[in-house]
Amino acid sequence: MSASKARYEPLASEDCGTEGGGHTYWTKHKSRIMVGVGTAGVIFVVAVVAVITGFVRGQGQQNDYSHEKDSTYWHNVAQSELEAALRDRQRGVAKNVILFLGDGMGPTTVTAGRILAGQIKGKHGEETVLSFDRFPYTGLSRTYNVNSQVTDSAASGTAYLTGVKTNQGMLGLTAKASRGHCNTTHQAEVHSILRWSLDAGKSGGVVTTTRITHATPAASYSHSADRDWESDARIPVEQRACVDIASQLIYNNTDISVILGGGRASFYPRDYVDEHADADQATRYLRREDGKNLIQDWQDNKKNQEKSYRYVYDRSGLESVDAAHTDYLLGLFNQGHMMYEKQRNETKEPSLAEMTAKAIQILKKNENGFFLLVEGGRIDHGHHSTQASLALHDVVAFADAVEKATQLTSPSDTLIVVTADHSHAFAFSGYASRGNDILGINMVGEKLSLGSDNKTYTTLLYGNGPGFLVNRENVTLQDTHDPLYRSQAAVPLASETHGGEDVAIYAKGPQSFLYSGVHEQNYIPMVMAYASCVGPYGGSAQKKCARNEAVVTHAGPQQNTKQNVSDSGAETLASLAVLILCSAVSATTR
């Protein structure tokens, strides 16, 4: 039957009921839909109906949640997620790999950040989907290290970048070394996925909102018996046979194409006048004692090699960089850490998303591909201060950076992984009503929630930290949205601690399905190496990589296999079209 002669019964609301969900109509008219529309037609129908549905639902219903009382809505939400989960696992080789690291972004932080992202947009918040929430594969990472139940960012960074777990406080070294002892580092060095990628002819970059010599970024390029040895001034005199982290970055890693973050003070001598210094940052203790200006040395190195390069120190400088004609970029936007997103001076400092975009634009010029590490580092710092507002606004900025990377790359050749190094002693408490202010006082409806001491409390609390008070305050009159407000804590500590629970892994792109399940943290870079055929899985390595995968086909003629896949795809799309039509009918009848 031709499309012009096909006759269908109108789609009635009963066909889309709780028990039907479009199933009744689909069963009755499946063959006609398949013949009359075809795969291309279904794609068109899906696109058109999706637009119509969005339009109908958007009319005055942005903040109307009445549809959530309809069981069909929840069945359709689940069906949509099921359709995504049933898609074929994506194999192939990852030309590019991007690792997004939310420092301290444990499960509770993700949930609270998600709600805040929605509430910023005027929604309840709980239903909000962060950019990486849409990634098809998720798993869990076990974060303990060799000598500590709860890890720090140096040991964890070594694990998820080099594939080797180590001791607390050490970078790029095995647990054979001892923290703070330079003479124990001999033959204990291990290399990272960044170095593996560079050695394979790919481009590499490191982007962070912390000092570029801080634990997470440093784990990608340095080998240090102590994470605190960021400049020579920080190394005890008796241990100075070891090279400081800033020097390792500039002199031992000249092939890193993009370096963006904070931490200028570790790169110039004590007597250097930083004309762009932030007077509020006390960073003199980081300044160098060897008299070297590493920023100038970096520029001289690129000039001598006749490379196209730029050094920038503010947002306008970054914006002016012509990615097409720049192969090397060094950007140090503060003498210490960059500012929290909530407090960021937009005329001076770029956002994490802006730095990520510029890095990708430069790195993607390499036809061999690239590896990029992007850290949202100040999430962790906000938690250490029990200042939840600062931490969570940085989660939102971090999610924006992930979204930007998704827009600038293709899932067909780019593996994107989002994870955390550790969690925090951060709690989501009480029985607040839906849409309750995530940074505010816990309330059920219009009623304030009270503790057994008859005092109010916020939904977000800490197990320990500087928010502790001997006599707990009633927070009713507190401005809990003030970025400097410290959430209450149960145990007094000058700095709140990390948490030891597993953290999430989110992944999309080639071989991303390998992250499903519960894994040791050091598993993370090994999958990246396997997917991109570098390091232990590259060149002359005996281990096979994704490029060596056998193509598995079903028995029977190849033509029939392709036809089956085509028919299956058409059927899935047609079914989805009916599902979306049901959603439209449901929306118009409310």
Side-chain angles (χ1 to χ4, degrees):
M1 182 183 295
S2 67
S4 61
K5 294 182 180 180
R7 295 292 182 267
Y8 308 102
E9 298 174 16
L11 183 66
S13 59
E14 55 267 25
D15 290 323
C16 298
T18 301
E19 299 301 325
H23 176 73
T24 304
Y25 189 85
W26 172 246
T27 302
K28 290 163 63 177
H29 302 292
K30 171 181 175 181
S31 60
R32 290 184 178 182
I33 294 174
M34 292 295 293
V35 174
V37 179
T39 303
V42 171
I43 294 174
F44 176 75
V45 170
V46 170
V48 172
V49 174
V51 171
I52 295 174
T53 303
F55 175 78
V56 171
R57 287 187 171 176
Q59 300 307 298
Q61 296 190 35
Q62 181 178 359
N63 298 315
D64 179 6
Y65 291 85
S66 60
H67 56 277
E68 293 188 357
K69 298 178 180 180
D70 185 349
S71 61
T72 303
Y73 166 77
W74 293 110
H75 282 200
N76 288 344
V77 168
Q79 176 65 21
S80 177
E81 292 186 18
L82 178 60
E83 291 283 347
L86 288 173
R87 297 189 186 111
D88 290 341
R89 292 179 172 181
Q90 185 179 347
R91 294 188 178 272
V93 177
K95 176 182 178 182
N96 312 310
V97 175
I98 305 176
L99 173 58
F100 279 92
L101 193 287
D103 199 317
M105 194 180 72
T108 303
T109 301
V110 173
T111 302
R114 179 189 301 131
I115 294 173
L116 177 62
Q119 292 183 348
I120 289 173
K121 297 178 181 178
K123 300 179 180 180
H124 281 342
E126 296 86 354
E127 75 290 346
T128 300
V129 179
L130 295 174
S131 54
F132 48 89
D133 283 331
R134 296 193 297 268
F135 284 16
Y137 296 102
T138 56
L140 291 174
S141 168
R142 303 168 67 185
T143 62
Y144 70 92
N145 61 46
V146 173
N147 69 346
S148 183
Q149 198 171 60
V150 178
T151 192
D152 80 317
S153 294
S156 58
T158 300
Y160 63 74
L161 285 165
T162 74
V164 177
K165 288 202 174 191
T166 190
N167 297 325
Q168 201 88 322
M170 300 196 311
L171 296 163
L173 300 171
T174 70
K176 293 179 181 179
S178 297
R179 183 174 185 177
H181 296 279
C182 182
N183 61 359
T184 66
T185 63
H186 181 61
Q187 294 186 337
E189 295 185 353
V190 285
H191 296 288
S192 74
I193 179 70
L194 171 61
R195 174 46 54 196
W196 299 338
S197 299
L198 291 169
D199 288 348
K202 296 176 181 290
S203 292
V206 182
V207 174
T208 182
T209 52
T210 68
R211 297 191 295 265
I212 196 68
T213 51
H214 207 240
T216 296
S220 71
Y221 61 78
S222 74
H223 311 279
S224 181
D226 198 312
R227 57 176 289 177
D228 293 334
W229 294 353
E230 296 183 52
S231 74
D232 67 321
R234 300 297 308 281
I235 304 178
V237 175
E238 66 274 14
Q239 301 296 333
R240 290 189 181 177
C242 278
V243 180
D244 65 273
I245 294 169
S247 291
Q248 289 187 53
L249 174 60
I250 297 302
Y251 301 127
N252 300 353
N253 293 275
T254 58
D255 49 354
I256 297 178
S257 298
V258 178
I259 302 169
L260 299 174
R264 283 198 307 269
S266 294
F267 292 79
Y268 48 61
R270 289 192 184 278
D271 59 354
Y272 180 80
V273 178
D274 189 341
E275 298 178 357
H276 312 288
D278 184 341
D280 295 332
Q281 293 220 16
T283 56
R284 187 169 179 78
Y285 72 101
L286 288 169
R287 293 194 177 200
R288 308 192 63 78
E289 293 182 352
D290 58 11
K292 294 180 180 179
N293 185 326
L294 303 189
I295 297 173
Q296 187 60 54
D297 287 353
W298 181 88
Q299 294 179 86
D300 290 343
N301 172 269
K302 299 299 175 276
K303 182 178 180 180
N304 292 338
Q305 294 184 43
E306 298 184 344
K307 304 291 186 180
S308 57
Y309 68 92
R310 284 286 305 277
Y311 164 66
V312 297
Y313 52 81
D314 60 14
R315 186 184 185 192
S316 61
L318 182 69
E319 291 175 339
S320 70
V321 172
D322 180 359
H325 297 93
T326 303
D327 295 329
Y328 290 88
L329 173 63
L330 173 62
L332 299 174
F333 303 102
N334 209 317
Q335 69 267 37
H337 297 305
M338 294 180 67
M339 302 300 292
Y340 289 104
E341 178 62 25
K342 183 70 174 175
Q343 301 173 325
R344 180 169 62 92
N345 184 332
E346 296 185 6
T347 63
K348 292 184 177 180
E349 293 187 8
S351 68
L352 185 60
E354 290 168 341
M355 291 192 290
T356 299
K358 188 66 70 173
I360 293 174
Q361 290 164 1
I362 291 175
L363 297 175
K364 69 191 304 183
K365 296 185 297 181
N366 187 336
E367 61 182 15
N368 294 323
F370 64 83
F371 172 82
L372 174 62
L373 170 64
V374 180
E375 182 199 21
R378 307 228 61 194
I379 299 169
D380 177 70
H381 299 165
H383 280 321
H384 280 308
S385 299
T386 63
Q387 294 171 320
S389 176
L390 293 178
L392 298 185
H393 278 90
D394 267 50
V395 171
V396 177
F398 177 79
D400 290 343
V402 176
E403 178 64 24
K404 177 59 67 173
T406 300
Q407 294 170 356
L408 294 174
T409 59
S410 169
S412 65
D413 67 1
T414 302
L415 171 62
I416 301 180
V417 179
V418 177
T419 190
D421 46 358
H422 53 74
S423 187
H424 273 272
F426 184 50
F428 191 142
S429 61
Y431 297 97
S433 296
R434 176 74 182 276
N436 191 71
D437 183 356
I438 192 62
L439 294 174
I441 298 172
N442 195 280
M443 299 180 67
V444 179
E446 299 298 320
K447 185 179 179 180
L448 294 170
S449 299
L450 301 177
S452 57
D453 58 0
N454 207 36
K455 296 178 181 179
T456 56
Y457 60 90
T458 55
T459 298
L460 302 177
L461 300 166
Y462 288 88
N464 57 55
F468 172 84
L469 294 172
V470 175
N471 295 311
R472 196 174 76 84
E473 292 182 343
N474 194 324
V475 297
T476 307
L477 300 179
Q478 297 287 329
D479 180 7
T480 57
H481 278 263
D482 184 339
L484 300 182
Y485 171 77
R486 296 187 189 277
S487 299
Q488 293 180 348
V491 177
L493 286 176
S495 178
E496 178 267 355
T497 68
H498 296 169
E501 66 267 32
D502 297 353
V503 296
I505 308 170
Y506 309 81
K508 66 178 295 186
Q511 308 298 333
S512 55
F513 66 90
L514 294 174
Y515 286 108
S516 296
V518 181
H519 303 285
E520 294 287 2
Q521 193 167 47
N522 63 293
Y523 173 80
I524 293 173
M526 304 307 283
V527 173
M528 296 178 192
Y530 173 82
S532 58
C533 297
V534 302
Y537 301 93
S540 59
Q542 294 182 350
K543 296 179 181 179
K544 294 183 178 181
C545 73
R547 188 177 293 116
N548 306 115
E549 287 181 343
V551 179
V552 180
T553 59
H554 297 288
Q558 187 175 6
Q559 182 177 358
N560 291 344
T561 300
K562 290 183 177 180
Q563 184 62 49
N564 289 339
V565 172
S566 177
D567 290 346
S568 175
E571 184 171 326
T572 299
L573 287 169
S575 176
L576 184 58
V578 173
L579 176 64
I580 295 175
L581 280 167
C582 286
S583 298
V585 170
S586 178
T588 55
T589 54
R590 290 188 194 114

